[in-house]
């Protein structure tokens, strides 16, 4: 397989899996077993492509939230979740996004300094996929029961914002967990029973989080001099592939969750996790 084709496939895998609740890190670590290990700069670049896609999708929503500080209303048609906000609500929402990001940043730095990180092995990833599937089904079950009693709730509370910030750190520590899955479902369990509202908050808080993580890793790459040996053609192909596929997959997911639960993703996680546990030697 040529380097360009391998880079294209890795970019597509990143774009599809980054914002679906199935773990991009887990899929990329597994894919690299067959497609070859890539540099940190390569992985940073394809992640940046996926982030760019989400920024484009939510560009008007982000602008509306910023305009909330000038007293302007956030329009429902600018929100994939269909949530209108008056100016005070838009400011409150923006502050909650900032709080969730701040919690992630502080805890993330602490975890990094402590050097706590799991080995990039298939077995823990497989277990994380299976356990994450159980978490998803349980979260939706309890959210549905709560919604049946209290009605659908789209409001993001401060409790939800804080827990989403913590969930992002947990997902970063355990490969295979899925950042989007952890954040969406902790929001559902904490009281935001609307799948669309929980997903929108998770994706919006993911933008500064992923930009910060990408920038932090990029500084390390620059200081190490690793970029001098990079295959720039392969990197460019992977970046474009990641951006395009992430744009398509997020657009599809936002339509899908309007009328479907996340059960199909949980089943996929069960099947993939079980297959890895049975087919891949322990610790490889």
């Amino acid at each position: 397989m040529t380097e360009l084709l391998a880079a294209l496939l890795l970019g597509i895998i990143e774009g599809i899996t980054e914002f679906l609740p199935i773990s991009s890190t887990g899929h990329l670590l597994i894919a690299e077993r067959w497609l070859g290990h890539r540099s940190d700069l390569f992985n940073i670049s394809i992640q940046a492509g996926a982030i760019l896609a989400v920024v484009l999708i939510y560009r008007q929503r982000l602008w509306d939230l910023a305009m909330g500080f000038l007293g302007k209303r956030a329009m429902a048609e600018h929100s994939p979740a269909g949530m209108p906000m008056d100016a005070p609500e838009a400011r409150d929402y923006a502050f909650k996004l900032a709080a969730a990001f701040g919690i992630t940043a502080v805890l993330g730095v602490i975890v990094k300094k402590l050097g706590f990180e799991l080995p990039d092995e298939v077995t823990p990833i497989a277990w994380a996929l299976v356990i994450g599937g159980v978490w998803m089904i349980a979260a939706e079950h309890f959210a549905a029961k709560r919604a049946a009693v209290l009605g659908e709730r789209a409001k993001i509370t401060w409790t939800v914002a804080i827990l989403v910030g913590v969930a992002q750190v947990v997902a970063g520590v355990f490969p295979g967990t899925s950042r989007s899955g952890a954040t969406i479902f902790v929001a559902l369990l904490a009281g935001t029973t609307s799948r669309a509202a929980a997903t929108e908050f998770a994706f919006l808080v993911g933008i500064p989080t992923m930009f910060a993580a990408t920038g932090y890793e990029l500084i390390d790459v620059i200081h190490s001099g690793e970029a001098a040996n990079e295959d720039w053609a392969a990197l460019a192909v992977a970046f474009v592939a990641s951006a395009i596929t992430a744009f398509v997959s997020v657009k599809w997911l936002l339509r899908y969750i309007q009328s479907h639960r996340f059960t199909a993703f949980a089943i996929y996680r069960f099947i993939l996790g079980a297959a890895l546990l049975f087919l891949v030697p322990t610790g490889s």
Side-chain angles (χ1 to χ4, degrees), residues 82-158:
M83 297 187 300
M85 297 179 190
D86 57 26
E89 288 173 332
R91 289 194 296 271
D92 181 66
Y93 193 89
F95 283 131
K96 287 170 181 171
L97 286 172
F101 167 69
I103 290 168
T104 299
V106 172
L107 293 180
V109 169
I110 292 173
V111 167
K112 190 81 171 177
K113 294 296 184 183
L114 292 175
F116 186 77
E117 125 181 83
L118 291 183
D120 293 340
E121 296 178 352
V122 171
T123 300
I125 293 171
W127 279 113
L129 286 167
V130 172
I131 294 169
V134 174
W135 161 261
M136 289 166 62
I137 289 177
E140 278 217 296
H141 171 72
F142 289 113
K145 289 183 67 174
R146 187 174 299 166
V149 175
L150 303 175
E152 188 171 82
R153 292 185 170 185
K155 182 176 177 60
I156 301 296
T157 64
W158 281 103

Side-chain angles (χ1 to χ4, degrees), residues 37-211:
H37 180 71
R38 291 299 185 274
S39 68
D40 289 339
L41 180 58
F42 181 94
N43 292 329
I44 291 168
S45 297
I46 59 176
Q47 187 179 61
I51 303 170
L52 176 62
V54 174
V55 171
L56 291 174
I57 291 171
Y58 283 99
R59 63 191 183 281
Q60 189 61 61
R61 187 59 159 176
L62 292 168
W63 179 256
D64 281 355
L65 292 175
M67 289 299 98
F69 288 93
L70 300 179
K72 295 186 178 181
R73 179 179 175 81
M75 305 300 291
E77 58 266 27
H78 295 161
S79 164
M83 297 187 300
M85 297 179 190
D86 57 26
E89 288 173 332
R91 289 194 296 271
D92 181 66
Y93 193 89
F95 283 131
K96 287 170 181 171
L97 286 172
F101 167 69
I103 290 168
T104 299
V106 172
L107 293 180
V109 169
I110 292 173
V111 167
K112 190 81 171 177
K113 294 296 184 183
L114 292 175
F116 186 77
E117 125 181 83
L118 291 183
D120 293 340
E121 296 178 352
V122 171
T123 300
I125 293 171
W127 279 113
L129 286 167
V130 172
I131 294 169
V134 174
W135 161 261
M136 289 166 62
I137 289 177
E140 278 217 296
H141 171 72
F142 289 113
K145 289 183 67 174
R146 187 174 299 166
V149 175
L150 303 175
E152 188 171 82
R153 292 185 170 185
K155 182 176 177 60
I156 301 296
T157 64
W158 281 103
T159 299
V160 169
I162 292 168
L163 291 177
V164 164
V166 174
Q168 290 196 121
V169 179
V170 173
V173 171
F174 296 96
T177 303
S178 170
R179 190 204 62 81
S180 62
T183 52
I184 290 169
F185 293 102
V186 80
L188 290 175
L189 283 173
T192 303
T193 59
S194 166
R195 292 189 299 273
T199 301
E200 180 168 297
F201 188 82
F203 283 3
L204 287 174
V205 79
I207 292 172
T209 300
M210 293 173 66
F211 269 130

Side-chain angles (χ1 to χ4, degrees), residues 260-274:
H260 297 81
R261 291 190 176 190
F262 288 95
T263 307
F265 298 107
I267 293 172
Y268 172 80
R269 293 177 67 109
F270 290 146
I271 294 172
L272 178 60

